[in-house]
């Protein structure tokens, strides 16, 4: 049986934390922008760190497992 937890968590976090889609930290003209659909290098770096932190916490500390079978 395959463990789909890491895959599903990764996809959901990727969609939610895409810079400029829902929000962007730091924004192009402000600290926080919502739905701008534009991004910059700083925002990509910040969102990458947030993604990695949340992913590591959910997979390693909380032990999210989803089995299909």
């Amino acid at each position: 049986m395959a463990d789909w937890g890491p895959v599903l968590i990764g996809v959901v976090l990727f969609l939610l934390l895409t810079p400029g889609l829902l929000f962007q930290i730091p924004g192009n003209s402000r600290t926080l922008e919502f739905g701008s659909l534009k991004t910059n290098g700083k925002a990509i770096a910040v969102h990458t760190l947030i993604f990695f932190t949340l992913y590591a916490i959910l997979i390693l500390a909380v032990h999210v497992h989803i089995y299909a079978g």
Side-chain angles (χ1 to χ4, degrees):
M1 291 199 296
D3 184 10
W4 285 93
V7 175
L8 186 63
I9 296 295
V11 168
V12 169
L13 285 177
F14 179 80
L15 291 175
L16 292 177
L17 292 173
T18 300
L21 186 61
L22 297 178
F23 67 96
Q24 180 175 327
I25 303 170
N28 290 324
S29 59
R30 294 181 297 212
T31 304
L32 176 65
E33 291 183 355
F34 292 98
S36 65
L37 296 177
K38 296 179 183 175
T39 190
N40 56 36
K42 292 179 190 177
I44 292 171
V46 169
H47 283 256
T48 301
L49 292 173
I50 294 170
F51 174 87
F52 176 74
T53 304
L54 289 175
Y55 186 80
I57 289 171
L58 289 172
I59 298 304
L60 298 175
V62 180
H63 300 290
V64 175
H65 297 287
I66 300 172
Y67 293 105

